Amino acid sequence: MPGHLALVTDSTAYLPQEAVDRHRIRVVPLSVAVGDGVFAEGVEISPKDVAEALRSKQRVTTSRPSPETFAAAYRAAAEAGARGIVSIHLSAELSGTVEAAQLAASTVPIPVRVVDSRLVGMALGSCVLAAAESAEALDAARVGSGGSDAGSAAAGGGGTGAGATGADLDLVVAAAESRAAGTAGFFYVDTLEHLRRGGRIGTAQALVGSALAVKPLLHLAGGRIEPLEKVRTASRAIARLEEIAVERAGQQPVDITVHHLAAEQRAEPLAERLRDRVPGLQGLYVSEVGAVIGAHVGPGLLAVVVSPIIASSH
């Protein structure tokens, strides 16, 4: 639709393809290096490939997209008729992806808002979907008013032309940030070794010395991966992960995603138990994480994302 608001994210959102297609979200891939090869996540390398590489002790590293890659995505959105872009990405504490997006934002002919979700996985993905729904509501209001920027202002803009578009982008950013504020991610890993190697565990390094004696539970806090609890066995850790998710969800309407890497036999039963135990459950997804996150957590990951559903104000 000409004059629409466009959404861009990166491949670590792990959005269902159906949602990407329905909301016309542009996904910029991060890169994964295995041995001498460099591959685009979700395009040229699979979670299975990464799990096998890690099990065989191959060196696996990841890197952000280049600013030029983001600029190309933004230009493509502009050429498709977008009047503005909201670009939402994984935590800047974990990757330089936000910085690359910011560098690209000033090089395109339409306004771009770059958002650091301070999250990753479907915790990030839930923010992107909230933003997409907000953008679509604003676009529909604009069309309903005759397609003018005045209609956009009436939907919450406060101005015409570029001013109305800027105000609409602010509303979309606010929807993403509101969803992010309530969203939580908790996860279990078989070993902290992969996180340690990638420098992604921050103060969780305090757990490394006892990693062989405990099964760590971690969470996203302040955009970083931080220790949450130490549990003695894998079965107890997974049971505790379930309890934490149920407690976090409470009675409110929520979407829940169960992520895993090469651990479907753990993920599916956990998802079914959560289906039975969370009274406000709206959407339930089981998703294998992609190559970038897989490279840092290793096979055996089990994660739960709890994302409260916030009614749109427009």
Side-chain angles (χ1 to χ4, degrees):
M1 179 179 70
H4 66 281
L5 300 173
L7 269 295
V8 175
T9 190
D10 60 74
S11 55
T12 70
Y14 304 132
L15 287 163
Q17 188 60 46
E18 179 272 333
V20 171
D21 295 340
R22 182 172 75 252
H23 297 293
R24 298 177 301 168
I25 299 165
R26 296 178 185 272
V27 180
V28 176
L30 276 74
S31 297
V32 181
V34 180
D36 295 329
V38 179
F39 310 95
E41 179 177 39
V43 180
E44 300 170 327
I45 190 167
S46 71
K48 181 180 178 181
D49 295 332
V50 169
E52 291 176 351
L54 291 169
R55 286 186 179 124
S56 63
K57 307 298 183 183
Q58 294 185 64
R59 178 173 170 77
V60 180
T61 60
T62 63
S63 59
R64 72 181 192 180
S66 68
E68 291 75 19
T69 301
F70 274 114
Y74 297 157
R75 285 194 296 270
E79 290 166 2
R83 61 190 170 100
I85 299 168
V86 176
S87 193
I88 309 172
H89 301 289
L90 82 160
S91 174
E93 297 284 351
L94 302 176
S95 168
T97 299
V98 165
E99 180 186 21
Q102 290 170 335
L103 289 170
S106 62
T107 68
V108 292
I110 59 175
V112 180
R113 299 281 197 277
V114 177
V115 179
D116 176 2
S117 73
R118 302 182 72 78
L119 300 167
V120 73
M122 267 300 288
L124 160 61
S126 67
C127 301
V128 177
L129 293 179
E133 291 164 3
S134 174
E136 288 162 6
L138 290 164
D139 286 341
R142 183 170 180 268
V143 170
S145 68
S148 70
D149 283 315
S152 181
T160 59
T165 293
D168 282 355
L169 291 174
D170 291 342
L171 287 171
V172 175
V173 169
E177 291 178 339
S178 180
R179 190 75 181 258
T183 297
F186 309 96
F187 58 105
Y188 158 84
V189 291
D190 278 334
T191 173
L192 288 169
E193 181 62 18
H194 302 294
L195 285 164
R196 184 191 66 78
R197 288 177 183 173
R200 296 305 198 277
I201 55 175
T203 59
Q205 300 227 12
L207 289 176
V208 173
S210 57
L212 295 178
V214 300
K215 292 299 183 181
L217 292 177
L218 302 105
H219 67 146
L220 290 166
R224 298 183 180 185
I225 296 169
E226 302 284 3
L228 184 61
E229 295 181 9
K230 302 176 187 179
V231 185
R232 285 294 177 184
T233 66
S235 61
R236 289 180 181 176
I238 294 169
R240 182 60 184 140
L241 182 66
E242 179 182 335
E243 291 298 327
I244 291 168
V246 170
E247 291 166 8
R248 179 72 186 213
Q251 301 293 314
Q252 64 189 321
V254 296
D255 289 332
I256 289 180
T257 300
V258 177
H259 280 309
H260 71 94
L261 180 63
E264 187 174 6
Q265 75 284 357
R266 289 172 170 173
E268 291 286 357
L270 174 58
E272 288 307 308
R273 293 194 299 272
L274 291 171
R275 186 189 301 278
D276 293 338
R277 297 189 61 190
V278 177
L281 185 63
Q282 302 295 303
L284 178 64
Y285 312 95
V286 177
S287 167
E288 190 165 29
V289 298
V292 168
I293 299 305
H296 294 293
V297 297
L301 165 77
L302 198 59
V304 180
V305 172
V306 180
S307 184
I309 298 171
I310 302 169
S312 172
S313 61
H314 48 81

